[in-house]
Amino acid sequence: MTGSPHAPPLACRTLAEAVAALRQRGLRLSTSRKLVLEALFATDNPVSSEHLAGQLGMDLSTVYRNLEEFERQGLVRHVHLGHSPGLYALTGHADREYLYCEQCGAIKALEPHELDTVRDTVHERFGYRARFTHFAIVGTCPECLRG
Amino acid sequence: MTGSPHAPPLACRTLAEAVAALRQRGLRLSTSRKLVLEALFATDNPVSSEHLAGQLGMDLSTVYRNLEEFERQGLVRHVHLGHSPGLYALTGHADREYLYCEQCGAIKALEPHELDTVRDTVHERFGYRARFTHFAIVGTCPECLRG
DNA sequence: ATACTTGCAAATGATTTGCCAGTGT
DNA sequence: ACACTGGCAAATCATTTGCAAGTAT
């Protein structure tokens, strides 16, 4: 979770695919490494390092070291919704972007293309190509706007 | 810098105005408190707690406690650009929003209204009212897009 | 006079690192 | 075999909290 620019995404649909890709890049596939990958493939949502370590019964530092390596390879990314710690997900599996309501904490996950209009608007006006995969879009949800 | 929803903004143009507003709300105006306010009024950019503590020669915890109080009053807000720690600024003075380039670290500050089209797009499509004052918009700047 | 503020030190939460024993290739 | 990986403990970074002494009202 270092501040360095991100590796190009390494999208893998299956565990086998990911293992192959990592092998090809010369990485060793230890038991813990495979467990972390499995866990990431098994869930639909970004998960915390804490959660992974607990669930897999392995040391937090090991989890972090593996996630770090996976991020370096572009296989994994982490997101920040409100003020919470980083949450990790597979790049290819969870290219979602999030709307976070700061009043009620509601989180709306968006499929990869759903923010394209927004992205285009930003691009037209400022020339920046935006990604909302690192920081959620924070605001007020429809319900709280009414209330 | 707690996760709680924000107080309504308390926009003050001058130090005197801010002092008056805080007094009115029953807050004591200690020397350190005034120093922090002065420092915030003196700069155009969001600053780190560290920076304030150093510059003003006061304890970090005092700085944090004051910033916390000011945020509670809606006078101050903090922003996160990339992975860096929180940066603090006066609400009324720095209602800016930021575009952050994750390749080169470039930061573009936008005036309050400049993202309105973007905000409207988000609102039309998802009903959310977005604020980019807490998390910058992260992406790739025009220069890096070319390179 | 009294309640709020300070500095200092120690606690916290998230993440990182050192080290040495263990394991994948 | 040998370089890489794991667990454990300690370090770090940003931020928070406890406490006794000091200060604003």
Side-chain angles (χ1 to χ4, degrees):
Chain A
M1 195 160 149
T2 46
S4 51
H6 306 263
L10 175 57
C12 296
R13 253 162 250 5
T14 65
L15 179 57
E17 214 173 302
V19 167
L22 293 177
R23 267 237 166 70
Q24 190 176 314
R25 298 185 173 201
L27 290 198
R28 288 188 191 180
L29 265 293
S30 64
T31 315
S32 349
R33 222 162 248 188
K34 264 175 281 186
L35 282 173
V36 173
L37 282 179
E38 268 175 47
L40 289 174
F41 273 103
T43 177
D44 204 42
N45 302 107
V47 293
S48 67
S49 50
E50 192 91 27
H51 178 82
L52 287 170
Q55 173 190 335
L56 304 176
M58 69 180 65
D59 199 82
L60 248 181
S61 66
T62 306
V63 170
Y64 275 116
R65 275 193 273 234
N66 286 333
L67 289 172
E68 191 188 10
E69 182 63 60
F70 296 154
E71 287 205 88
R72 200 176 299 131
Q73 301 300 325
L75 185 62
V76 159
R77 238 182 358 221
H78 73 272
V79 207
H80 295 278
L81 315 179
H83 287 269
S84 38
L87 300 176
Y88 298 79
L90 293 168
T91 319
H93 188 238
D95 259 318
R96 306 217 176 91
E97 297 173 292
Y98 299 87
L99 298 180
Y100 174 74
C101 174
E102 62 185 338
Q103 326 295 312
C104 70
I107 294 166
K108 180 170 178 54
L110 303 177
E111 294 308 313
H113 57 81
E114 296 194 70
L115 283 176
D116 283 352
T117 342
V118 174
R119 235 184 300 281
D120 290 347
T121 309
V122 172
H123 188 246
E124 276 160 33
R125 303 185 62 82
F126 309 104
Y128 270 69
R129 184 51 55 185
R131 281 189 337 136
F132 299 96
T133 45
H134 180 62
F135 286 149
I137 293 184
V138 176
T140 310
C141 73
E143 286 70 36
C144 291
L145 279 178
R146 269 191 233 105
Chain B
M1 194 159 150
T2 47
S4 53
H6 306 264
L10 176 56
C12 296
R13 251 160 254 5
T14 65
L15 178 57
E17 214 173 305
V19 167
L22 292 177
R23 265 234 166 74
Q24 189 176 314
R25 298 184 174 202
L27 289 197
R28 287 188 191 180
L29 266 294
S30 63
T31 314
S32 347
R33 222 162 248 187
K34 265 174 282 187
L35 282 173
V36 172
L37 281 179
E38 267 175 47
L40 289 174
F41 273 102
T43 176
D44 203 43
N45 302 107
V47 292
S48 67
S49 49
E50 192 91 30
H51 178 83
L52 287 169
Q55 175 190 333
L56 304 176
M58 70 181 64
D59 197 82
L60 247 181
S61 67
T62 304
V63 171
Y64 274 116
R65 275 192 274 233
N66 286 333
L67 290 172
E68 189 188 12
E69 182 62 61
F70 295 155
E71 286 204 87
R72 199 176 298 132
Q73 302 299 327
L75 186 62
V76 159
R77 241 182 356 222
H78 73 272
V79 206
H80 295 278
L81 315 180
H83 288 271
S84 38
L87 300 177
Y88 299 79
L90 293 169
T91 320
H93 189 239
D95 259 319
R96 305 216 176 92
E97 297 173 293
Y98 299 88
L99 299 179
Y100 174 73
C101 175
E102 61 185 340
Q103 326 296 313
C104 69
I107 294 167
K108 179 169 179 54
L110 303 177
E111 293 308 315
H113 56 84
E114 296 195 70
L115 283 174
D116 283 351
T117 342
V118 173
R119 235 184 299 281
D120 290 347
T121 309
V122 172
H123 188 247
E124 276 160 33
R125 303 184 63 83
F126 308 104
Y128 270 69
R129 184 54 47 189
R131 284 188 335 136
F132 299 97
T133 44
H134 180 63
F135 286 149
I137 294 184
V138 176
T140 310
C141 73
E143 286 70 34
C144 292
L145 279 177
R146 271 193 230 104

